[in-house]
Amino acid sequence: MPERSAGSTVPRRQLGRYLRDLRMQARLTVRTAARELEWSEAKMWRIETGQTSLRSHDAETMCKVYGAPSDITEALMGLAKETKAKGWWHSYGDVVPEGFDVYIGLEGAASSLATYESDLVPGLLQTEEYTRATIRALADEDDEEVERRVRLRIERQTLLTRPTAPPQFSLVLSEAALRRPTGGAAVMRKQCEYLVAASGWANVMIRVMPFSVGSHYGLVTGPFVVLRFPVTGDGAETEPPTVYADGFTGSLYLDKPSEVQAYDRAFREIWEAALDEQASRRLMREVAESYGQD
């Protein structure tokens, strides 16, 4: 039986994805790579599909066979150590170097994302101006670094409009995120108008949680995303659903069935408490108009 960690499967799954991508970039088949590593093809499959934990030494050996650069090798060795952890609250910088974002890997593989956001428009639906204003407000960085981060976030957004199997994106957005004048009135007007337009896309559903609702589940949960992944032809999940919540010092990943069920239930309650899509679109238009003309 493959070795399994008692905690989150997220680091194993991500490590497997990165190693598979490196193997493919090296133009090696599973059989050829297994022969080079003196492993069975079955072991290769278990690693690449996140079915087993991995020693950092083995991750290093794979990276050498695949010709990976030193910074990627170091990152994957750190990630391999996390595959044996009982749980996973990881602080970005001490395991994964900047630009090697674990959540983005999950997001790109997901078939659906159910998101609740209380204070900011989520990155996948931000305008460039809103992104820039947010990064400047939350990070003390020079102009070059700010622009690099803006470009990275805007590139991420192609996920929702990609021609092949874009994910279903269901968003409940607090009215507070619309009313908070991030970047000023002109930026917010454009941002609200963009949300109205995005709400008309076939794979995007947006609901607004108005101030008038008062108490609701989102006040307890805080912002979160439930990610689900493609299913096989017989309906089996290719990966377990995962809950992601971004914290001040790190990012929380949950994939135990009981945890996912709790967040599924919370999202359903939040979704039902919010305005429906048509009323939400009207409110977003009204808020856009309240910011005045450019």
Side-chain angles (χ1 to χ4, degrees), residues 68 131 138 140 154 156 169 182 190 197 202 225 245 261 266:
T131 295
L138 300 179
D140 183 19
I154 297 303
R156 249 178 77 202
F169 185 64
T182 303
K190 185 174 180 180
V225 184
Q261 288 169 10

Side-chain angles (χ1 to χ4, degrees), residues 124-125 157 160-161 194 196-205 281:
L124 287 178
L125 290 175
Q157 297 177 358
L160 292 179
T161 55
Y194 184 72
V196 172
S199 69
W201 299 349
N203 60 319
V204 174
M205 294 187 293
R281 196 173 293 116

Side-chain angles (χ1 to χ4, degrees), residues 9-25 44-52 54 62-63 66 72 76 79 83 88 100-111 162 227-230 237-242 253 255:
T9 66
V10 170
R12 297 202 308 266
R13 287 149 50 196
Q14 282 303 92
L15 180 60
R17 279 198 197 93
Y18 289 129
L19 289 170
R20 182 191 61 210
D21 289 345
L22 286 173
R23 174 179 60 75
M24 295 177 69
Q25 289 169 17
M44 291 289 299
W45 179 85
R46 290 197 300 270
I47 291 171
E48 292 191 357
T49 56
Q51 300 299 310
T52 184
L54 193 67
M62 295 178 77
C63 286
Y66 299 158
I72 300 300
L76 293 186
L79 197 51
T83 66
W88 202 37
F100 201 76
D101 195 304
V102 171
Y103 175 74
I104 291 177
L106 283 178
E107 188 181 68
S111 58
R162 67 188 182 195
L227 303 100
R228 280 186 159 76
F229 302 91
E237 295 175 328
T238 55
E239 297 189 38
T242 301
Y253 296 87
D255 59 8

Side-chain angles (χ1 to χ4, degrees), residues 15 18-19 22-23 25-28 32-33 36-37 39 44 54-77:
L15 180 60
Y18 289 129
L19 289 170
L22 286 173
R23 174 179 60 75
Q25 289 169 17
R27 299 180 181 276
L28 295 175
T32 301
E36 289 285 332
L37 293 160
W39 293 344
M44 291 289 299
L54 193 67
R55 297 181 304 169
S56 60
H57 172 73
D58 289 337
E60 181 182 24
T61 300
M62 295 178 77
C63 286
K64 286 181 179 177
V65 169
Y66 299 158
S70 59
D71 59 336
I72 300 300
T73 299
E74 182 180 353
L76 293 186
M77 289 174 65

Side-chain angles (χ1 to χ4, degrees), residues 136-154:
R136 287 191 183 283
L138 300 179
D140 183 19
E141 295 172 339
D142 60 34
D143 290 347
E144 183 177 349
E145 177 61 19
V146 168
E147 290 307 308
R148 191 189 69 83
R149 292 182 60 185
V150 169
R151 294 270 68 79
L152 286 172
R153 190 169 300 179
I154 297 303

Side-chain angles (χ1 to χ4, degrees), residues 30 67-68 88-89 153 169 179 186 200 209 212 237 239 272 284 292:
V30 171
W88 202 37
W89 178 282
R153 190 169 300 179
F169 185 64
R179 300 285 184 186
M209 181 67 75
S212 60
E237 295 175 328
E239 297 189 38
E272 292 301 321
M284 290 188 291

